[in-house]
């Protein structure tokens, strides 16, 4: 560097086109300060010219002196300078002389230069003194400009700040005294002069002299220097990488240091500015030393003869941009006791996890403990050497498994090699030390894998469980420190809130927007930099959470996958309350991530929390905790045990309809809330019922996830789900109206009754089997039970038993699918001919049509009175009316029922049963639950009402009327009114619309006779069969007749007729 | 915080209920379905009225009628930082659970004042500062909500009683 500045100085002079020689000595002292040069020019010229004028000899001397210094300049520069001097004769002569001198002196001066380089100050001073000393041989007393010279000195001192000593007047006096008393006199003079000045001026001078000192020191000492300005540039010495013997780097550097010291101050000082090495076992820079010097040749000189370094082989010039990297500090992994490492060296243990117990002072070795792999000489045993050859000791066989040291084993095999102390449980076996079952060994740090250890939980637990007292002594902190070192475990994802806790950007908080390799781009959210985007290495980062954040544990922690809310944060340790178990866990913030709101970790494979699982034939359990690799199960005896999924036999599906009896004999089901009768009186909701055990879940405790088990007969019901449900909730409006819903069942039951009559019509029918193994086969039913039929198969001549439901009845001749009941109906039906014709095909429409409100009036008038008798009476109802209606209605509904109608008293009712039942039930006790319907019904004016009573009315009415013939008077009470309502009901209600769609006459026929029946009393009853078919002829008017009948009650009656027809059209 | 909130919901009705009072049924069903539930991050406390019941539309397949009902409801949305009164219902060494209406809040022992500690020997176990503050099941507490978690149909919160005027409410 120094030489560079000299170069500068020279250049500066040239450009100035200065007549005067620069003052190289001064310049060399000073680190390139143009201002200084100017000062020099101010002072020097005077002195020099005077000197030149006064005496050439000293001048010559001085020139020469200066030349020495100048020697360091590049020669051309000097020449050019000389050219400038050409016009001055005197000087020219001198220069020529000099030229000769220079040639001679060049070599030795080079040495001096080097010295200068090393110690510029010293060198300069020495020369100064030399000059003075030499001056003593000349008669410089005669000089007039002593003062100038002195001034000069002082000036130098002033300007060249490094020359503190020189700068001080006392110093000057001091150095002067060494030579002669001239200085004394000079000093006296100066003091006189200074004394003569007034104080203010003096202060001015002093300030001028000393004031500038600090600022002029150069940026090297400034408090803050931008780093980039400190980077090397082309003007700085270059660095060469020199090959050396691997592992000897440090040695070489020490040799160089010694050499520098030795040669310091001698002619051949070591011409380099710096040398260093970056060796080390793992270093990529091993095998090289780095030497900084101006020229490559200097290095050859400096390293000549030093052992283990090969400057002559190949030397690489380090590029300037790479220079800073040479000195980059790589943090050596710091091994702390308790940290986890992996062994590299004892081949038997390669890759094994070990824990650092201690690190030696020099940091070269660590005492570690690990789980030994001992075979206690089993494989050395001659028994096992089948071929009788001695095994070569160097060849490792399959290495024994990791097992804690067993004293007993060792004693059994090699009692001789075993010594130790049972008290401390430390042993020495075969030269190895064992403590508490672990092998303890000093291992060189190079032979340890310190980074990316990533101990797995299993490995670590082996160490933990090995503790003497059996307690878990996991050092979470050490574990974390180890894990933290592993680079891959830290993963930031865009969106993470991150805090910089280390390095220049410490304290910055931001949101990660981009992650690329090790660089995380942060959008700063807080502080002065808010809004800015900065890139930071992920080294000194940690995730930042706030209390209440919902987070998920990721990464290496054993709590992985737990989800919870943050309740406490200390540094980078975050305590959270888990969602699953409501317990608190503490993990490192790096292992956390903002959780989505869906809780995780409820399941392991097919098993999830609160599942009931079978552990063995007699044991079941409820899963109360799900870990990463195991689950905790609370079994029926109340014990919890940790099991692997593989130990679970199977999962018991939840039996929704499982029922148990509590101690009072009440039925309890899933989701009922029960309380223990005795004991702790715990209360909980039943989640599983298994035989006599019930598993309950409560929120009041989080022990076993709130699950406990008890016997069903030791609990009492607190709130049964079913009971609560009916109490609070109305009907489920998204499901079938419950009132209607019960019908099918009731219907079926109702219909079952007729079956008991007569032989089963299925017998002797031709059937096809619809499902099962015999599917598709044709056969004849030979015999039946209620549910099954014995079918003789055509194909096999064999009789098999098949559920009736699986049979499809076929017409013997046509093969068409038929309904045997219908056939039976038509066959058995008395007036079936008409019925069949009238309603057979269109019967199905009847109910729809009957939905019409024509019955409404009837109903409205009849109200429940009409129905009630009907209802009660129907069973015993006379057949006649039943027939009446039966023949019609049945068709309308379902021809198949007709036969029953015809055959029994049921008939009338049965045929209408569906409608009737629904009607009767609707308002009936179980009710709709909706008031809306009830009034509707009673009002008889809306569709609900109309329908309901319609059904009810139609059925009972005839029935009632049938009965009523013996009865009506009573029922009708009101005479006119009763007949009135009775009349329309069958006529207008059911019959009229029913055939309506089909053909006008039918209803007419029906309706006509019906009223007739009413009015005519028995006669009509007898005529039942006649009117139906016969009616065809003159129906229409009859229909009108029927209409007016209800009309008596109001306009309503017409309404039905109207819509009925309208619909039909 | 309570809000009056206009909401919309689709209600289905079984065909067996079709009739002139359908709207009434729809409203009933709406109330039954919605009132007292947690809808994401708020609870529907009460339905004021259903001001718009659309025409029913029969859903293909099952015949249910679907109505789009617009209704006005009082909702409660707990906020982070909100202070609520709650009743303690469970205590364990890590803290206590309390219930603010439908919302279950956990107050960790870390989020209590320093002087309050768990006393396992009391019956029932309690948190106490050995002075006026005794927190046991049934105690009324004033809690500041620190964080909220919403699950399907449920919300959980953690709270703090570390602050002025928080903690036990003297009855």
């Amino acid at each position: 560097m120094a030489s560079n500045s000299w170069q500068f100085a020279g250049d500066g002079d040239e450009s100035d086109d200065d007549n005067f020689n620069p003052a190289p000595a001064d310049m060399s002292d000073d680190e390139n300060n143009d201002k200084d040069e100017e000062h020099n020019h101010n002072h020097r010229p005077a002195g020099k010219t005077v000197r030149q004028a006064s005496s050439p000899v000293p001048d010559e001397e001085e020139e020469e002196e200066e030349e020495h210094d100048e020697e360091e300049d590049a020669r051309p520069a000097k020449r050019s300078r000389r050219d400038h001097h050409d016009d001055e004769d005197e000087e020219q002569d001198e220069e020529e002389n000099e030229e000769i001198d220079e040639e001679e002196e060049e070599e030795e001066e080079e040495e001096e230069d080097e010295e200068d380089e090393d110690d510029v100050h010293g060198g300069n001073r020495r020369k100064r003194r030399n000059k003075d000393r030499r001056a003593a041989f000349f008669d410089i007393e005669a000089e007039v400009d002593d003062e100038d010279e002195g001034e000069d000195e002082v000036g130098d001192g002033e300007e060249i700040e490094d020359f503190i000593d020189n700068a001080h007047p006392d110093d000057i006096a001091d150095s002067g005294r060494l030579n002669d008393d001239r200085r004394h006199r000079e000093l006296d003079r100066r003091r006189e002069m200074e004394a003569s000045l007034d104080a203010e001026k003096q202060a001015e001078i002093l300030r001028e002299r000393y004031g500038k000192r600090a600022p002029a020191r150069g940026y090297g000492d400034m408090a803050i220097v931008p780093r980039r300005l400190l980077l090397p540039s082309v003007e700085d010495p270059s660095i060469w990488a020199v090959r050396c013997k691997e592992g000897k780097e440090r040695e070489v550097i020490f040799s160089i240091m010694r050499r520098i010291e030795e040669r310091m101050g001698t002619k051949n000082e070591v011409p380099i500015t710096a040398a260093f090495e970056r060796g080390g076992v793992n270093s990529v820079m091993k095998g090289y030393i780095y030497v900084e010097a101006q020229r490559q040749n200097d290095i050859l000189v400096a390293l000549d003869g030093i052992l283990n370094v090969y400057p002559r082989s190949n030397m690489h010039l380090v590029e300037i941009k790479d220079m800073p990297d040479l000195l980059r500090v790589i943090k050596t992994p710091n091994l702390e006791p308790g940290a986890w490492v992996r062994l590299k060296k004892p081949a038997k243990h390669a890759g094994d996890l070990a824990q650092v117990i201690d690190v030696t002072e020099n940091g070269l070795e660590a005492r570690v403990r690990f789980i030994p792999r001992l075979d206690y000489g089993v494989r050395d045993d001659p028994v096992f050497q089948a071929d009788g050859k001695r095994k070569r000791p160097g060849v490792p066989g399959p290495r024994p498994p990791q097992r804690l040291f067993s004293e007993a084993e060792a004693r059994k095999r090699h009692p001789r090699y075993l010594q130790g102390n049972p008290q401390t449980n430390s042993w020495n076996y075969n030269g190895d030390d064992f403590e508490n079952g672990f092998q303890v060994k000093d291992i060189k740090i190079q032979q340890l894998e310190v980074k990316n250890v990533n101990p797995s939980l299993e490995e670590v637990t082996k160490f933990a469980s090995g503790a003497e007292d059996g307690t878990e002594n996991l050092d979470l902190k050490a574990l974390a420190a180890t894990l933290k070192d592993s680079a891959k475990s830290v993963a930031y994802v865009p969106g993470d809130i991150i805090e910089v806790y280390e390095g220049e950007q410490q304290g910055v908080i931001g949101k990660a927007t981009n992650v690329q390799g090790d660089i995380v781009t942060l959008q700063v959210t807080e502080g002065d930099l808010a809004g800015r985007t900065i890139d930071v290495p992920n080294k000194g980062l940690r995730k930042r959470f706030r209390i209440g954040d919902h987070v998920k544990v990721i990464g290496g922690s054993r709590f992985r996958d737990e989800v919870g809310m943050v309740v406490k944060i200390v540094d980078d340790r975050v305590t959270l309350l888990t969602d699953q178990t409501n317990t608190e866990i503490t993990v490192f913030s790096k292992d956390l991530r903002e959780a989505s709101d869906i809780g995780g970790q409820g399941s392991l494979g097919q098993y999830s929390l609160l599942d009931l699982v079978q552990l063995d034939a007699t044991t079941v359990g409820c899963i109360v905790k799900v870990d990463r690799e195991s689950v905790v199960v609370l079994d029926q005896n109340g014990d919890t045990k940790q099991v692997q999924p593989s130990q679970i036999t199977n999962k018991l599906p939840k039996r929704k309809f499982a029922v148990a009896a509590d101690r009072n004999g009440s039925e309890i089901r899933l989701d009922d809330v029960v309380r223990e009768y005795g004991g702790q009186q715990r209360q909980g909701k039943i989640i599983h019922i298994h035989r006599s055990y019930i598993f309950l879940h409560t929120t009041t405790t989080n022990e076993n996830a709130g699950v406990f088990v008890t016997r069903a007969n030791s609990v009492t019901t607190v709130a049964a789900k079913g009971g609560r449900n009916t109490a609070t909730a109305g009907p489920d409006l998204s499901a079938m109206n419950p009132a209607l819903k019960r019908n099918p069942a009731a219907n079926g039951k109702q219909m079952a009754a007729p079956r008991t009559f007569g032989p089963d019509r299925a017998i002797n029918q031709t059937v096809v089997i619809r499902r099962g193994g015999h599917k598709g086969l044709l056969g004849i039913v030979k015999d039946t039970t209620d549910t099954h039929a014995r079918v003789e198969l055509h194909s096999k001549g064999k009789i098999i038993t098949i559920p009736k439901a699986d049979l499809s009845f076929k017409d013997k001749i046509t093969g068409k699918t038929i309904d045997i009941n219908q056939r039976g109906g038509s066959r058995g039906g008395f007036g079936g001919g008409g019925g069949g014709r009238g309603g057979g095909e269109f019967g199905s429409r009847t109910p729809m049509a009957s939905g019409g409100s024509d019955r409404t009036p009837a109903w409205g008038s009849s109200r429940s009175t009409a129905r009630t008798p009907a209802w009660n009476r129907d069973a015993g109802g006379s057949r006649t009316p039943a027939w009446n209606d039966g023949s019609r209605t049945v068709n309308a509904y379902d021809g198949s029922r007709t036969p029953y109608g015809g055959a029994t008293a049921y008939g009338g009712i049965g045929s209408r049963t569906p409608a009737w039942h629904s009607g009767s039930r609707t308002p009936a006790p179980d009710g709709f639950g909706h008031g809306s319907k009830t009034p509707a019904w009673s009002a008889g004016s809306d569709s609900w009402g109309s329908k309901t009573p319609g059904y009810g009315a139609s059925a009972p009415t005839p029935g009632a009327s049938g009965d009523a013939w013996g009865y009506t008077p009573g029922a009708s009470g009101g005479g006119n009114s009763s007949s009135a309502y009775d009349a329309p009901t069958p006529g207008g209600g059911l019959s009229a619309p029913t055939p309506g769609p089909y053909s006008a006459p039918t209803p007419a026929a029906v309706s006509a006779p019906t009223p007739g029946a009413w009015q005519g009393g028995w006669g009509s009853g007898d005529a039942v069969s006649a009117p139906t078919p016969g009616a065809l002829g003159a129906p229409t008017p009859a229909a009108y007749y029927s209409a007016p009948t209800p009309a008596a009650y109001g306009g309503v009656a017409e309404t039905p007729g109207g819509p009925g027809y309208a619909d039909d059209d | 915080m309570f809000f009056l909130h206009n909401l919309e919901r689709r209600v289905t009705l079984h065909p067996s209920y079709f009739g002139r009072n359908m709207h009434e049924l729809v409203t009933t069903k709406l109330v039954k379905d919605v009132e007292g539930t947690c809808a994401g991050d708020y609870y529907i406390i009460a339905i004021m009225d259903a001001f718009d019941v659309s025409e029913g539309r029969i859903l293909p397949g099952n015949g249910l009628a679907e109505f789009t009902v617009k209704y006005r409801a009082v909702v409660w949305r707990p906020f982070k930082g909100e202070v609520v009164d709650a009743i303690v219902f469970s205590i364990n060494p890590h803290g206590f659970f309390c219930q603010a209406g439908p919302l279950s809040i956990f107050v960790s022992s870390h989020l209590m004042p320093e002087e309050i500690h768990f006393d396992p020997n009391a019956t029932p176990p309690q948190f106490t500062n050995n002075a006026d503050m005794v927190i046991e099941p049934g105690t009324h507490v004033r809690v500041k909500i620190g964080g909220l978690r919403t699950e399907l149909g449920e919300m959980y919160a953690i709270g703090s009683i570390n602050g002025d005027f928080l903690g036990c409410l003297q009855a």
Side-chain angles (χ1 to χ4, degrees), chain A residues 6 13 96 130 294 336 407 606 663 729 852:
Chain A
W6 298 331
D13 287 336
E96 271 162 10
N130 279 351
Q294 288 294 339
E336 299 279 340
E407 181 215 342
Q606 55 169 320
R663 77 182 300 275

Side-chain angles (χ1 to χ4, degrees), chain A residues 546-550 563-568 575 577-580 582-584 597-599 699-702 728-740 928 930-933 936 941-944, chain B residues 11-22 24-30 32-33 64 80 89-95 97 106-111 146-152 156-160:
Chain A
R546 267 181 296 220
I547 286 179
D549 281 354
H550 195 220
V563 184
M565 263 194 280
V566 176
V567 295
K568 189 183 177 190
T575 303
L577 177 83
T578 59
D579 292 350
Q580 287 291 340
N582 275 335
T583 48
E584 284 184 354
D597 268 338
I598 297 138
T699 52
T700 53
T701 169
N702 54 32
T728 58
D732 182 1
L733 294 172
S734 58
M736 182 80 168
N737 187 331
L740 299 178
F928 271 73
H930 277 281
S932 62
K933 264 163 232 156
S941 59
D942 81 353
S943 63
W944 289 103
Chain B
V11 177
T12 55
L13 193 66
H14 193 271
S16 60
Y17 292 98
F18 292 176
R20 63 189 331 216
N21 61 336
M22 259 190 318
E24 207 177 309
L25 293 175
V26 166
T27 316
T28 317
K29 181 149 192 272
L30 172 77
K32 197 183 104 193
D33 286 356
L64 298 181
K80 196 169 171 172
F89 69 90
S90 166
I91 289 203
N92 66 48
H94 300 121
F97 289 90
F106 177 72
V107 179
S108 164
S109 53
H110 300 299
L111 299 173
L148 284 161
R149 174 166 62 88
T150 55
E151 264 177 25
L152 199 66
Y156 302 97
I158 60 162
S160 161

Side-chain angles (χ1 to χ4, degrees), chain A residues 131-152:
Chain A
K131 183 188 82 181
D132 291 343
R133 234 176 276 130
R134 269 177 278 179
F137 294 103
F138 302 101
D139 187 13
I140 49 170
E141 277 309 343
E143 269 183 336
V144 225
D145 55 344
D146 256 358
E147 180 148 351
D148 268 350
E149 182 108 321
E151 203 67 67
D152 197 3

Side-chain angles (χ1 to χ4, degrees), chain A residues 235-255:
Chain A
E235 291 137 16
D236 296 313
S238 318
I239 298 177
W240 276 269
V242 186
R243 261 244 164 265
C244 72
K245 196 171 189 176
E246 242 181 74
K248 298 286 185 184
E249 298 90 351
R250 196 158 286 191
E251 231 165 78
V252 171
I253 294 296
F254 283 132
S255 308

